[in-house]
Amino acid sequence: MDRNQIKVLIRQMTLEEKAGQVTQLPSRYFAIQGSQLTGTETKLGISEEKKWLCGSILGKLDAVSMRNIQKENLERSRLQIPLMFMTDIVHGYQTIFPVPLAMAGSFDPGMVRECARISAKEGSAAGYQVTFSPMVDVVRDPRWGRVMESFGEDSKLNCDFGKAMVEGYQGENLKDPDRLAACVKHFAAYGAAEGGRDYNTSDVSEFRLRNKYFPPFKACIDAGVKLVMAAFEALNGIPATANPWLLQDILRKDLEFEGTVISDWGAVLELIKHGVAEEEAEAGRLALESGVQIEMATAAIVKHIEVYVKKFPHLEAILDEAVEKVLILKNELGLFEDPYRGVDPEREMRELRSPDKKRAAFHAATESAVLLENNGILPLTKETPVILTGPYAESKNILGPWSVDGIVEDAITVKDGLILKGGRIKEVIQTAYEEVTEQDSDRIVQTVASGDVVVLALGEPELWSGEAGSRSVIELPEHQISLLKKLHEHQIPVVVLLFNGRPLDLRKVKEYADAVLEMWFPGTEGGNAAAALLYGEKNPSGKLAMSFPYGSGQIPVSYDMAPTGRPKADLVQEPRYKSQYLDIPNEPLYSFGYGLSYTEYDVQVNGKIVRQEQEYLVPVKVTNLGNMTGKTVVQIYIGKKKSLVARPVKELVAYKKIELQPGKSKEIVIPIEEKTLERWIPGKGWTKEKGEYTILVSNDGQNFQRMELTVG
Ligand code: GLC
């Protein structure tokens, strides 16, 4: 169909049929068993006939059920308008990749593009056409459970990885039946929820919104993302779902989005709870007027559209625009030509969980893990006798939140991984998350003999992060720390593996462990990846995409803080009156960009910065000083000595991951795009300031080589 034919179709539709098209209902209302609740349950209160007017369905599906539902829809649809099927494929469909916060630490958007490509192959084979991904909420508060779903605290990483996922899902042509339309979320600043408490208010300056929170959405829009999901929360006093400034002035005009805006689950009716709507009819009208084009999981608009149009005739034109967006998307997906998009159980069986996809999951897990501490105990030899213990010793619950369709049975446990690698496992003692009995800890200590190493697989239960997974403290359960401390007190060598969805307070872990390997929630191949890293078959190369604070008291903390008028670094007579804590440092325990390797690297500035067209080329020489091949991430940060605004001391503007053989050096040039020098400045808009810039070069986010750059 072309645009004109779509307009003709809209003119043929009744008011109710149009209202149905902007309604999205959970699959459970269409007799699909087992769909997982991802939002508040809401009784619909509409007739069976009106239910079938809905334009799209979200949630649990497979090839057979998709075909059956689409068939019944087409039998019922007067104008033969196909249904669209959407779901949350966030870090894999049935083959699960590490959580996005982990994958951001790979500093390899190309790898994540491939993970999204694979996810699209699996999800589309099951009958889905749209995924509610990527999530690009910039996050600075690890109390918020959804940090695991984000690409971390840095705006540029969220830009790069969000763009890569959109490209991986959508490809060049959405009519390819093994592609998915992407939906970037949650617009906007949902990750700035006050207190890190999910769904809470976000109050963010326009300076930060425009320089930090909006750019990842712009990157996804420029990559062609088809949908944007409005956030749950009230942003600066106005719920995002009923915020014309956000959904029209910013999203449509400034960010130039032309696709479809969808509400979050139940967020339209939640306008009543926010206190900006009296009842459901008003809630639906406010959302529609503000720029929402699909109402997720509730039916306010379709229930009250007749009333709306009588009282507010202008609404029908707004509704027509919304319907047009929805029909254009269905058309781009090729649904008018083939409502089934070639979905069948045979293709589903062939695509899902194939060995090549699991290899990609293994690769992603090894590239995303971060070595935080190592006194030389790692890598282990296969002959090292290992006592494996802790709540994640043989747990398959390593897929992480938002892996609703992941196959837990496929997950490779740490125990599986060590055995498959031919490791010498002396004993496996699985403990609980929150309780290690005296008997268990005594048994562990007594089992250890000289020369043995304990691999202690610790972490949070999956449900302690993810949606509605907010915690007031970011510590491991105390029994886990007690066990680690006891082993330390017995001078037992301990390697800690961590399985968690958020940065944690690791002060005690750092004190008592001989090595700490952050696995995050590594997905289906987690155990194989852990084993390959522990035995040195893979050399850890991941970096942190989010700072690990000195505990909850330091939150929010991120690497790109402003200097303040009393920087702690200042040498002043009176050492008290500076911006500092009396009890802890200002810097996090582990910084953004930090991560060790089994080898050492030397990173040196290698000449002068050269301007070439729209880029500044930063010359760097990297040397692998160790005896193992390894990868490191050279990071380029920028600061401005004098600016019209109080800018962060440093901001990431470029990076490059490179692999080096032992003893080898590489001279590389890392380009800084001129555009990344621009900042949105109140009263001036986007501005590239001239003058002196500081360029900082690092491969660990803590030690820097400094260069000067003058921008004319
Ligand atoms: C949830 C989440 C959103 C998700 C949607 C559909 O509440 O906030 O990220 O895409 O509902 O499951």
Side-chain angles (χ1 to χ4, degrees), residues 45-59:
I46 57 174
S47 67
E48 184 69 5
E49 187 199 357
K50 192 167 274 192
K51 180 186 86 173
W52 280 99
L53 291 178
C54 79
S56 56
I57 286 179
L58 82 152

Side-chain angles (χ1 to χ4, degrees), residues 67 84 179 243 416 496 541 575 611 649 670 692 696:
R67 294 192 68 89
M84 215 167 7
R179 292 293 182 174
N243 191 326
D416 299 338
V496 167
S541 63
R611 179 171 177 183
V649 171
I670 301 180
E692 303 303 311
L696 298 171

Side-chain angles (χ1 to χ4, degrees), residues 38-39 58 88 132 146 149 185-186 190 229 232 264-265 296 402 467:
T38 62
L58 82 152
D88 296 280
F132 301 126
R146 299 191 76 165
E149 203 180 338
K185 65 189 184 183
H186 306 80
Y190 176 34
M229 186 182 296
F232 279 124
D264 204 335
W265 183 296
M296 184 194 288
W402 288 113
E467 183 169 354

